[in-house]
Amino acid sequence: HAALTLFQAVGDRLGEANCLIGCGKVRLIEGKREEADQLLQQALALYQAIGDRWSIAAQTANYGWALHHRNQPAAARSYFARAADLFAVIGSEDRVQKYQQLAAEQAATEG
């Protein structure tokens, strides 16, 4: 929390967003999914405000991975699919294909 407070105090929104992502990963590990989701959304809003579309896509994908590792395939699929769409917007075709494939793989494990 000290780092987050410091980034907020100096107005470093990228640092703040990155800290929120880290805090969200901890909440997810602790089994506090709702808090983790909220922290991710706060971070994504900060990335959006500073125009960092790459981090929006990458952190959305990373959250999908975190959910995958927590054995939550339906949630992971949703984030992987969203990441594919976000990477398409910024023209990262290799990542579009990667995350579309991962979303399909998660769907196959849901059933």
Side-chain angles (χ1 to χ4, degrees):
H1 293 290
L4 180 60
T5 302
L6 179 61
F7 284 122
Q8 290 170 331
V10 299
D12 183 343
R13 293 190 290 174
L14 178 60
E16 182 181 352
N18 291 337
C19 279
L20 289 168
I21 290 295
C23 291
K25 288 178 183 176
V26 170
R27 294 301 183 281
L28 196 58
I29 290 167
E30 295 172 340
K32 298 176 181 177
R33 168 84 191 279
E34 187 174 318
E35 287 180 39
D37 288 352
Q38 291 171 356
L39 290 166
L40 173 69
Q41 293 311 312
Q42 290 173 21
L44 295 181
L46 285 168
Y47 292 132
Q48 180 69 36
I50 60 175
D52 187 348
R53 296 185 307 165
W54 176 263
S55 289
I56 293 169
Q59 294 297 357
T60 299
N62 289 342
Y63 198 69
W65 279 113
L67 292 165
H68 167 77
H69 292 301
R70 308 256 357 126
N71 198 28
Q72 298 180 30
R77 178 183 48 79
S78 174
Y79 281 93
F80 287 150
R82 179 73 179 130
D85 292 342
L86 292 165
F87 280 121
V89 169
I90 59 176
S92 183
E93 282 304 315
D94 59 329
R95 286 179 175 81
V96 171
Q97 293 174 6
K98 174 181 179 176
Y99 288 104
Q100 285 175 340
Q101 178 65 35
L102 286 166
E105 290 171 7
Q106 294 301 302
T109 64
E110 288 177 46

